[in-house]
Amino acid sequence: WADGTEVDLAGYHVFRRTALDSAPVRLTLQPHPRSLFEDTTLPAGQPALYTVQAIDTSSNISAPTPDVPFTR
């Protein structure tokens, strides 16, 4: 994803779903500081959908990005 340009950007939360009808699981415990994230917990060959939300220093959270499909 593209880096946010807000001066109060704290980082990003990354979410994964393994099915269209499943609830997203947050993969980041703390806001991830960069716009690059590697999911090492996804089993090989398993398709998944990822979405990202930005969070600022006041704990405001953006709307989620559209789902992005990925297979490891």
Side-chain angles (χ1 to χ4, degrees):
W1 64 89
D3 283 328
T5 58
E6 298 80 6
V7 295
D8 62 343
L9 178 67
Y12 306 92
H13 286 308
V14 180
F15 298 83
R16 177 183 71 204
R17 294 187 300 143
T18 54
L20 284 175
D21 60 351
S22 65
V25 174
R26 193 169 85 187
L27 301 176
T28 50
L29 297 177
Q30 299 294 322
H32 189 68
R34 297 186 321 243
S35 61
L36 177 64
F37 180 82
E38 182 178 358
D39 182 5
T40 58
T41 63
L42 184 68
Q46 170 73 48
L49 299 165
Y50 291 88
T51 190
V52 175
Q53 288 181 300
I55 185 167
D56 69 16
T57 55
S58 298
S59 298
N60 296 308
I61 300 173
S62 73
T65 62
D67 287 335
V68 175
F70 179 79
T71 302
R72 182 178 167 118

